Amino acid sequence: MTILCEHPPAFGVELEEKNNIPVDHDGQENELVLDEGFVVPDTNSFGHTFRDYDIESERQKGVEEFYRTNHINQTYGFVKRMREEYGKLNRVEMSIWECCELLNEFIDESDPDLDEPQIEHLLQTAEAIRKDYPDEDWLHLTGLIHDLGKVLLHPAFGELPQWAVVGDTFPVGCAFDESIVHHKYFTENPDCNNSAYNSKYGVYSEGCGLDRVFMSWGHDDYMYLVAKENKTTLPSAGLFIIRYHSFYTLHRAGAYRHLMNEEDVENLKWLKIFNKYDLYSKSKVRIDVEKVKPYYLSLIEKYFPAKLRW
């Protein structure tokens, strides 16, 4: 089911003007100047620049080992099996907020910027967006729920290893772009030597649309399936953000654009805005959960059923 965003076709241009986003001749943003409600910090929780995978530290070594395992095992066949198994949504029935609380038990081992429980990051992201976009309530809720698929780490969901749940995502079934973090480890992935999967297009075609593309399996794709199959009324941009917010090689390096269709191009504008908050809200700012909870419960009721199949 595709849910179209309520904005008129030209909303992308209006959005860029609203946020003072300089646009080059290809329509790409050069720099995003956020509104007064959100101040971008200079460094992450560890005092480093954000998404720096090269700094020598014990945490960085663990992150690199994570990506080595991830890149070896994320094959086209593996992703198909995971989508078929978890797409049944027959494991648990629970509300969105119950899932938020369940996720509080985990820390993402792939993230070089974050060392706090996930619910802190979810609320930091949502509240930062809420300050700058008070009228886009669907975007506030998307900020809250975008990482809920990480419950795949929980025993009730099979307790999948971190390499099959978190980390940057990328298409499988076609060549692995060199812009993917720690690309060197793909040489050990069986698909690299399979002529059906190692070309530019692989099993896809130009402009086929990202909804037809198999992404590396993890929390992004899982939460997308959960939201879609439970008939959320979030606009298509919200679903796009949920599924592709870890697809950094697209929204940072511009890779895989040859697979996108027109709707993807429009939704990517929202994703690039969202990504600023997803990334730079990883700070030590604490959120009063009980104070903001009623607001987010009202949004959940607006866009989701009371209980979801997971």
Side-chain angles (χ1 to χ4, degrees):
M1 178 178 66
T2 299
I3 306 170
L4 296 178
C5 190
E6 296 178 355
H7 296 276
F11 86 86
V13 176
E14 295 170 359
L15 199 60
E16 289 159 356
E17 292 174 353
K18 172 185 175 183
N19 290 282
N20 302 314
I21 306 174
V23 179
D24 62 24
H25 65 279
D26 292 323
Q28 299 303 303
E29 67 177 60
N30 296 323
E31 181 181 6
L32 177 62
V33 180
L34 300 179
D35 293 342
E36 60 182 339
F38 181 60
V39 178
V40 176
D42 294 326
T43 60
N44 63 22
S45 298
F46 301 93
H48 306 145
T49 55
F50 288 90
R51 285 182 60 80
D52 191 334
Y53 290 92
D54 298 318
I55 291 176
E56 287 293 330
S57 70
E58 287 304 311
R59 183 168 179 82
Q60 296 305 105
K61 292 176 183 177
V63 170
E64 181 165 354
E65 177 59 24
F66 161 88
Y67 276 110
R68 187 187 73 83
T69 307
N70 172 279
H71 291 354
I72 292 171
N73 290 286
Q74 290 278 2
T75 64
Y76 185 72
F78 170 74
V79 170
K80 285 192 70 175
R81 291 194 301 273
M82 291 295 99
R83 279 193 126 239
E84 289 169 3
E85 178 180 348
Y86 282 91
K88 298 173 185 176
L89 303 181
N90 60 359
R91 294 178 178 269
V92 178
E93 280 198 6
M94 63 178 169
S95 69
I96 290 287
W97 194 264
E98 286 173 329
C99 188
C100 289
E101 293 178 333
L102 186 63
L103 197 64
N104 207 31
E105 301 175 19
F106 302 104
I107 292 176
D108 186 341
E109 292 178 0
S110 74
D111 195 333
D113 301 320
L114 189 65
D115 66 343
E116 294 176 345
Q118 290 297 310
I119 195 153
E120 292 280 339
H121 168 54
L122 297 179
L123 287 170
Q124 285 172 355
T125 302
E127 284 294 281
I129 294 170
R130 184 182 174 189
K131 288 177 183 177
D132 286 356
Y133 294 88
D135 298 326
E136 306 291 349
D137 66 358
W138 66 270
L139 194 57
H140 313 164
L141 182 58
T142 300
L144 177 70
I145 70 173
H146 74 284
D147 274 347
L148 292 190
K150 290 180 182 180
V151 292
L152 290 173
L153 297 167
H154 194 275
F157 293 81
E159 203 167 6
L160 292 181
Q162 291 242 354
W163 65 261
V165 179
V166 298
D168 285 19
T169 59
F170 45 85
V172 295
C174 60
F176 301 114
D177 192 84
E178 291 186 0
S179 63
I180 301 171
V181 63
H182 292 305
H183 177 271
K184 60 188 176 184
Y185 294 118
F186 283 118
T187 57
E188 300 178 62
N189 185 304
D191 288 358
C192 269
N193 299 314
N194 188 327
S195 60
Y197 304 139
N198 63 10
S199 65
K200 178 178 179 179
Y201 291 98
V203 300
Y204 312 113
S205 59
E206 185 169 5
C208 63
L210 293 180
D211 60 332
R212 295 178 180 269
V213 174
F214 283 78
M215 299 295 295
S216 54
W217 177 250
H219 73 279
D220 311 63
D221 205 22
Y222 177 60
M223 188 60 206
Y224 166 77
L225 292 174
V226 169
K228 183 179 178 182
E229 297 305 317
N230 280 282
K231 310 299 183 185
T232 182
T233 55
L234 285 174
S236 64
L239 290 172
F240 189 92
I241 289 168
I242 290 170
R243 192 177 191 220
Y244 304 112
H245 67 271
S246 302
F247 192 5
Y248 281 94
T249 190
L250 169 67
H251 46 85
R252 285 304 181 86
Y256 299 104
R257 285 182 170 271
H258 55 283
L259 301 178
M260 296 172 64
N261 60 23
E262 291 182 6
E263 186 177 7
D264 294 331
V265 172
E266 288 302 306
N267 285 335
L268 182 60
K269 296 171 184 176
W270 279 113
L271 176 56
K272 285 190 172 184
I273 287 170
F274 173 85
N275 180 249
K276 304 292 182 176
Y277 296 89
D278 184 22
L279 175 60
Y280 294 115
S281 63
K282 296 170 182 176
S283 65
K284 294 296 184 182
V285 177
R286 306 308 295 267
I287 303 294
D288 186 335
V289 177
E290 293 306 311
K291 181 179 179 179
V292 300
K293 181 177 178 179
Y295 174 70
Y296 288 101
L297 287 178
S298 72
L299 296 188
I300 292 168
E301 183 178 2
K302 178 178 178 179
Y303 289 103
F304 283 92
K307 293 286 185 179
L308 282 68
R309 294 178 295 111
W310 299 79

